[in-house]
Amino acid sequence: MSQGDVVQGRLFRLYERYVGEPDSNKDVYGYWLFVVGYLVSFAGIAIFLTGLPNTGSGGVNVFWWRISVTLSAVGLPLAMLGIVLLLPVRWRAVQVTLVGTGISLVGVLVFEWAYPQNWRMGANYTSEIVAIYTVGIAIIAGVAVLVPVVTGKQGMFVEDELLNLADQPPVLVGDATTGTLFSVFRAPDKTWTWRAIQQDAVADSTRTTGSRATARESVEEVRALVGQAGLLEITTAAFRLYENDGEWRWVLMQEDGGVVAESGTVYSERDGVEDSVSFTKDTGPTAPIIEIDGAAVDYFRRGEEWHWRIIDEDRQPMARDVEAYDDRESATSAVETIQSMVPDARVLALNAIGAELYEDDDEWRWRIVDADDQELATSGTTFGERRLAEASVDNLLAGVGNATVIQQGRAGFEVFPQGNSWDWRLVDAGEELVAQSHTVASDSQTLVNRAKEIAATAADADVVSIEGADYEIYPGQDGWHWRFVTADRTVIADREGGYETADEAREVIETVRAQASEADLLEFETAAFQQYKTEDEQWRWRLIDQGGTVLADSGEAYESKAGAGQAMQTLKEKAPDAEILEIETAAFELVSTDDGRWRWRLIDEGGNLIAEGSSNHPSRQAAKQAMDLLLDLSPGANVREMADPVFQLYTDAGDWAWRYVTVGNEIVADGVERSGTRDDAAAHVKSVRKAAVDAPCDVFETYAIELADDDTWSWRIFDTARDVVANGTKTYDDRSAATDDIENLRSNADKAPIFEIDSAAIRLTHHADGVGWVLIDRARNTYAQSNGRYDTRAGALEAIERLKELTPDAHAVNFEDAGFELFERPDGWRWRLLDEDEHVVATGKTPFETQDEARDRIDAVREFVATASVLEIDDPTFELNYQGDGWIWRLVDGNGNSLAQSIEVYGTRQEARSAMQTLKEQAPDGHVTVAQ
């Protein structure tokens, strides 16, 4: 196993972490063998100490004795083998130790076979087994200890070069290339002396390693190769072919040994690399330099497919394709289309959302798109003209920011503007309109309060109907009141004086009903004297005018009617035109108001007002007609207590309908559906009640956004008339994802641009690693894309403007057989040779600071290629290279990998060659020293 394998191994990593950096592979294996042997032996001893081997019949458990002895016997040689590997011994010692270990393990296997029948009983192989095991252990122990002691030869198994590590010379490290060491040694005459030795560093490794052991292996490799390496001397430029791990490459070297170029790819066979060299020699001398003025279209192949990209004069990609093409003609046609699209393409740089106008079968529509051009919604209808579509989406963008979000499938009240007023409607869970406001209001809050009142009271509201007219008893601020109303909620009569209880009001109604049928109509022109009997059986009189106002009264009570009449006659002399009215029961009076209108009232025999018309009439006759209506309808009228609002059923043009009436006789809601029968209307009221009870109330100032949950989430937008303005085009897995898009729309609608794609557009795309762009048509087909990402939005927009400027005039990068291409990398400018399919055949080895320097180098390369020979070297070689201001030598292996090079730069080629020769002579026997 190589050190590289160990480095990658878990054992090496654990050793390096807990012990330290190993000097060699043996250190790692020895340590872990010792640990394993120790643990195995300890396990065997532990089993023995537990007493398990003595738990069987007769005080012996064969199974546990076998396990205990076997583990202990196996662990000992393994631990000793590990110790030997940790010692500085040669490979022959390791081999002997492995033999001893094997003998010991054979002894263990024989024990397994013999125990218990032939162990200390039966055939009794006990002595033989112990002898075999002991011989193995003795061999292991003798390798590292007994042999050096008995023979006195430290070098038989021990590595001589490591015995006196403390006496080894120091190593020149860092930047030091010279130094002096003092060498103390014994002379032939057994005396000691010393000498000073001048040290010079002559070579450096061209590779670094991850561990000291790997570095030592590298030294051993160099020492072995130095003696074999010959000197590669070339008088002209040459192609050098070499193979490494089944892959073939080539490099082009000039006469001074410097590498000029290398193959642009690797080849699996020798024929491939030879063909590459032949192509370079044939086409390189005349291959033109590919020049770009402004921008160019670069066509190239990947496998059997063609691609293109647009590059600038620095060969930096500006745009690339989005798909592969079967042939170059198809790629060329695609580029021509793009060149016609780019100049007039609109740049879509949406911050959040935008509105796009587009034609659809001779009609106009609009859609909302987000910053990534994902369609969020489309118009709910089509438009005959572009301006109508634009006006529609403009209104939406202006008002959707205040849109209310509601939930589909949930009943609710909706308050919305209607002209200069506000209106409301009730929508059930199926989105059917079931009720609407009876009247509009000047502000939304009034209707919100009204809707909330209906939601709170609808559950307890009775369903009633009125045939003709009914008496209704209802609570007021100062007690109970009654009114006599017709089916259309016209109040014929009422009495607003507060009664303490509903029953008291009911008694009054019965009095009105009873007395109205017997009451006479009292009529007079200007004024009249009225005699009446009080509750205490006394008589009084009063003088009233035509409006019913009391002008005078008797001031005292009389025992008899005659007494009151006599007193009244005395006053009548002063009012000769006043008539005398005698009231024996109840009576109706028609009275005139201050504004010339008329009304009626009903008084009892005592002159007390018990009922009156609820409204004034334009004439006396109209007032009398209203009074007659009471007389006609009162006898059969129902009396109903109305403590809460009611659903009132009524007929309208032969159909049944309903209205919602408050305690104060205010109609606040009407049904929107007509029914053929009363039962159908009552059934409709039930559905309305279900929708109204506890229903939320939403205010729609301009638009509403409705969320729908049908396995997946979606949304749509409608206006105050509930006409769909837009339909969301996306579906969502959860509500939060849908509301994210809705909030994006509401938050950014007022800043969203309205645009139209005439033929093409360049749209910004946003990614985790930056901003890009794509070229699209009206149908959202993608034609081109940015080659990479830009750090900022401004950078992407700047690149797009440059693309629009340069693309129309971009020409194809054309050459017949081959061409040189200049390109920039982080370390500078380089060149490469391309074939007709734009495959890289060769690349320059050296970077240059400027493009002009790289261009000048191509002229020299053409000359090298024309005269270069072809070399194939399978053995390690010394190369002499000219670098900078002098010559160096370099040692490469048969694969062309550099192993070492001279530290010093020599003034002449001969000096470099002489130094190389010195190394070649001395390195094979060179001493290896490790600097700590």
Side-chain angles (χ1 to χ4, degrees):
M1 178 181 289
S2 66
Q3 180 64 22
D5 294 333
V6 177
V7 170
Q8 299 302 322
R10 186 175 185 84
L11 295 180
F12 182 90
R13 291 195 298 271
L14 292 173
Y15 185 95
E16 192 173 40
R17 179 176 181 181
Y18 295 108
V19 180
E21 184 178 6
D23 291 327
S24 66
N25 294 350
K26 294 198 297 95
D27 288 354
V28 178
Y29 299 142
Y31 175 80
W32 289 113
L33 274 174
F34 174 77
V35 171
V36 170
Y38 169 80
L39 293 177
V40 170
S41 295
F42 182 79
I45 296 172
I47 292 174
F48 175 78
L49 293 177
T50 61
L52 289 174
N54 300 319
T55 57
S57 60
V60 176
N61 188 311
V62 173
F63 173 78
W64 286 112
W65 265 107
R66 177 181 284 117
I67 294 296
S68 176
V69 172
T70 300
L71 291 178
S72 301
V74 169
L76 178 58
L78 290 179
M80 293 183 68
L81 175 59
I83 293 173
V84 169
L85 292 178
L86 288 171
L87 293 175
V89 296
R90 295 182 179 179
W91 176 238
R92 76 182 71 167
V94 175
Q95 293 173 327
V96 174
T97 304
L98 290 173
V99 171
T101 303
I103 294 173
S104 296
L105 295 179
V106 168
V108 175
L109 291 175
V110 176
F111 168 78
E112 286 287 322
W113 167 79
Y115 185 81
Q117 291 86 357
N118 297 310
W119 179 261
R120 302 179 67 180
M121 68 180 65
N124 192 8
Y125 295 109
T126 305
S127 299
E128 290 83 350
I129 295 173
V130 172
I132 294 173
Y133 185 78
T134 303
V135 168
I137 296 297
I139 292 174
I140 301 173
V143 167
V145 179
L146 297 181
V147 170
V149 172
V150 172
T151 63
K153 296 181 179 180
Q154 296 177 320
M156 178 173 292
F157 289 141
V158 179
E159 295 180 353
D160 298 330
E161 64 270 23
L162 296 181
L163 291 179
N164 298 304
L165 184 61
D167 296 332
Q168 294 178 19
V171 181
L172 296 175
V173 296
D175 296 329
T177 59
T178 62
T180 300
L181 66 85
F182 288 92
S183 176
V184 180
F185 59 95
R186 176 176 285 181
D189 60 358
K190 305 301 182 179
T191 60
W192 288 86
T193 184
W194 63 267
R195 65 166 61 114
I197 301 174
Q198 181 67 39
Q199 289 181 307
D200 289 312
V202 296
D204 250 345
S205 171
T206 57
R207 299 178 298 180
T208 59
T209 62
S211 69
R212 182 169 60 187
T214 309
R216 289 174 60 88
E217 290 183 0
S218 178
V219 171
E220 294 301 330
E221 180 185 6
V222 170
R223 279 207 306 190
L225 293 178
V226 164
Q228 307 171 21
L231 173 61
L232 176 62
E233 295 191 78
I234 54 177
T235 56
T236 61
F239 287 95
R240 178 183 176 186
L241 312 185
Y242 62 92
E243 184 260 345
N244 183 21
D245 293 334
E247 295 180 338
W248 284 85
R249 293 180 174 85
W250 61 259
V251 294
L252 175 61
M253 303 174 59
Q254 60 190 20
E255 62 273 11
D256 60 8
V259 177
V260 178
E262 61 186 356
S263 57
T265 186
V266 296
Y267 304 89
S268 59
E269 297 179 358
R270 178 188 177 92
D271 291 344
V273 74
E274 288 180 346
D275 290 342
S276 174
V277 171
S278 298
F279 178 85
T280 304
K281 285 180 63 63
D282 293 341
T283 61
T286 59
I289 297 177
I290 303 170
E291 299 284 357
I292 299 175
D293 183 15
V297 183
D298 182 18
Y299 298 96
F300 58 96
R301 291 179 64 177
R302 287 189 186 141
E304 298 300 321
E305 297 177 329
W306 280 84
H307 296 266
W308 62 262
R309 61 180 180 175
I310 298 176
I311 56 178
D312 61 16
E313 57 188 6
D314 295 329
R315 299 198 65 82
Q316 298 300 313
M318 302 171 61
R320 63 184 177 91
D321 55 27
V322 293
E323 61 180 355
Y325 303 90
D326 294 334
D327 50 56
R328 176 159 179 161
E329 289 72 21
S330 300
T332 301
S333 176
V335 170
E336 290 174 352
T337 300
I338 290 166
Q339 287 179 309
S340 66
M341 297 171 66
V342 166
D344 299 324
R346 176 189 291 271
V347 178
L348 299 182
L350 303 179
N351 287 320
I353 62 168
E356 178 190 0
L357 305 175
Y358 64 97
E359 282 189 282
D360 182 17
D361 293 334
D362 297 328
E363 297 284 332
W364 283 88
R365 299 182 70 95
W366 53 260
R367 58 181 158 223
I368 305 296
V369 296
D370 63 15
D372 293 324
D373 202 39
Q374 295 295 314
E375 188 176 79
L376 301 181
T378 58
S379 57
T381 184
T382 59
F383 305 88
E385 300 179 32
R386 181 189 186 281
R387 64 179 181 85
L388 298 178
E390 184 174 6
S392 170
V393 71
D394 190 34
N395 290 336
L396 175 70
L397 295 176
V400 77
N402 296 323
T404 302
V405 179
I406 63 175
Q407 176 77 50
Q408 187 185 64
R410 185 192 66 179
F413 292 93
E414 298 173 354
V415 177
F416 57 93
Q418 186 83 339
N420 295 324
S421 303
W422 288 83
D423 204 345
W424 68 260
R425 57 181 168 245
L426 175 62
V427 179
D428 66 12
E431 297 198 22
E432 294 293 331
L433 181 63
V434 295
Q436 60 189 2
S437 176
H438 183 71
T439 58
V440 297
S442 59
D443 63 278
S444 61
Q445 190 57 46
T446 297
L447 295 185
V448 170
N449 294 339
R450 188 172 296 168
K452 290 181 177 180
E453 180 182 357
I454 295 174
T457 59
D460 299 324
D462 293 330
V463 180
V464 302
S465 59
I466 299 175
E467 296 181 5
D470 280 352
Y471 286 99
E472 292 178 346
I473 301 171
Y474 60 95
Q477 292 183 350
D478 55 349
W480 288 85
H481 306 269
W482 65 265
R483 57 179 171 249
F484 188 53
V485 297
T486 62
D488 63 358
R489 305 307 300 177
T490 299
V491 179
I492 299 174
D494 63 9
R495 185 70 176 98
E496 294 185 353
Y499 302 99
E500 290 185 1
T501 65
D503 290 339
E504 186 178 347
R506 190 182 300 273
E507 291 176 2
V508 173
I509 290 173
E510 294 303 326
T511 300
V512 171
R513 194 202 300 268
Q515 295 190 7
S517 60
E518 300 176 359
D520 295 326
L521 175 62
L522 302 180
E523 298 183 272
F524 51 90
E525 294 295 332
T526 57
F529 285 99
Q530 187 181 71
Q531 287 180 288
Y532 60 94
K533 191 174 183 178
T534 63
E535 292 180 356
D536 57 357
E537 300 296 326
Q538 299 290 317
W539 285 86
R540 286 181 174 274
W541 60 263
R542 59 189 172 201
L543 177 64
I544 57 175
D545 64 11
Q546 194 175 29
T549 302
V550 177
L551 301 177
D553 60 19
S554 60
E556 62 178 310
Y558 299 91
E559 294 291 335
S560 63
K561 180 178 179 181
Q566 184 177 358
M568 181 179 63
Q569 285 293 338
T570 303
L571 182 61
K572 189 176 185 310
E573 295 175 359
K574 299 182 180 181
D577 296 330
E579 301 179 32
I580 297 176
L581 302 178
E582 294 185 5
I583 303 175
E584 296 181 359
T585 60
F588 285 101
E589 294 179 347
L590 296 176
V591 295
S592 176
T593 63
D594 293 338
D595 57 358
R597 299 176 67 82
W598 289 83
R599 64 186 304 162
W600 63 266
R601 63 186 180 183
L602 176 64
I603 58 178
D604 61 12
E605 65 275 14
N608 299 310
L609 180 65
I610 57 176
E612 62 181 341
S614 62
S615 59
N616 298 328
H617 303 277
S619 64
R620 182 187 184 97
Q621 182 61 31
K624 186 175 183 303
Q625 290 176 352
M627 180 193 71
D628 292 339
L629 190 60
L630 172 67
L631 293 173
D632 293 340
L633 299 177
S634 179
N638 294 322
V639 179
R640 180 177 61 256
E641 186 176 319
M642 186 174 168
D644 299 299
V646 297
F647 288 98
Q648 180 194 339
L649 305 180
Y650 66 95
T651 57
D652 180 18
D655 294 326
W656 281 87
W658 64 266
R659 60 172 65 101
Y660 196 73
V661 185
T662 66
V663 173
N665 199 40
E666 181 182 7
I667 302 174
V668 294
D670 294 307
V672 296
E673 180 180 304
R674 295 293 184 263
S675 304
T677 65
R678 185 185 187 282
D679 290 343
D680 290 342
H684 186 245
V685 167
K686 289 183 179 180
S687 64
V688 172
R689 190 199 307 273
K690 180 179 178 181
V693 172
D694 297 327
C697 183
D698 298 303
V699 178
F700 301 168
E701 294 187 5
T702 50
Y703 298 96
I705 303 176
E706 182 183 63
L707 274 168
D709 179 13
D710 185 14
D711 293 334
T712 57
W713 289 83
S714 60
W715 54 271
R716 64 177 180 170
I717 304 175
F718 53 78
D719 59 17
T720 56
R722 268 199 160 261
D723 293 328
V724 177
V725 178
N727 290 302
T729 54
K730 294 175 62 177
T731 57
Y732 309 86
D733 293 334
D734 52 64
R735 178 188 176 100
S736 62
T739 55
D740 286 345
D741 273 352
I742 292 173
E743 287 307 310
N744 183 29
L745 172 62
R746 293 203 306 175
S747 302
N748 299 285
D750 58 339
K751 302 181 287 292
I754 301 175
F755 63 89
E756 176 189 355
I757 299 177
D758 294 328
S759 59
I762 300 176
R763 178 180 62 82
L764 290 185
T765 59
H766 302 85
H767 310 271
D769 56 346
V771 183
W773 59 261
V774 291
L775 174 66
I776 59 175
D777 61 11
R778 297 182 64 178
R780 291 307 194 277
N781 297 312
T782 304
Y783 291 81
Q785 61 185 328
S786 58
N787 187 69
R789 304 283 186 259
Y790 302 92
D791 293 337
T792 63
R793 177 188 175 94
L797 292 174
E798 182 180 348
I800 291 172
E801 291 304 318
R802 191 160 179 259
L803 178 76
K804 289 168 63 71
E805 176 186 354
L806 299 177
T807 296
D809 298 325
H811 60 278
V813 178
N814 289 321
F815 47 88
E816 295 182 358
D817 298 318
F820 286 101
E821 179 184 44
L822 301 173
F823 63 99
E824 188 177 14
R825 287 291 182 264
D827 59 350
W829 283 88
R830 294 177 179 267
W831 61 265
R832 58 189 168 203
L833 179 66
L834 307 178
D835 64 13
E836 59 184 355
D837 294 331
E838 299 201 25
H839 295 146
V840 179
V841 179
T843 59
K845 187 67 173 176
T846 306
F848 300 91
E849 291 185 1
T850 65
Q851 188 179 31
D852 290 339
E853 290 178 358
R855 182 182 288 106
D856 293 341
R857 183 59 170 172
I858 292 176
D859 294 334
V861 170
R862 288 195 181 102
E863 297 179 5
F864 294 144
V865 169
T867 60
S869 58
V870 179
L871 302 175
E872 180 183 348
I873 302 175
D874 297 325
D875 299 322
T877 306
F878 281 102
E879 297 176 347
L880 297 179
N881 296 329
Y882 184 81
Q883 290 190 358
D885 56 353
W887 289 82
I888 66 169
W889 59 259
R890 185 173 59 182
L891 175 64
V892 296
D893 62 16
N895 298 323
N897 299 314
S898 177
L899 301 178
Q901 68 181 26
S902 62
I903 292 178
E904 183 179 350
V905 178
Y906 302 95
T908 65
R909 180 188 181 96
Q910 185 58 38
E911 291 176 356
R913 180 171 181 174
S914 177
M916 177 203 71
Q917 190 64 37
T918 300
L919 177 71
K920 183 174 173 60
E921 295 171 355
Q922 298 178 359
D925 298 322
H927 191 80
V928 179
T929 299
V930 179
Q932 298 300 322

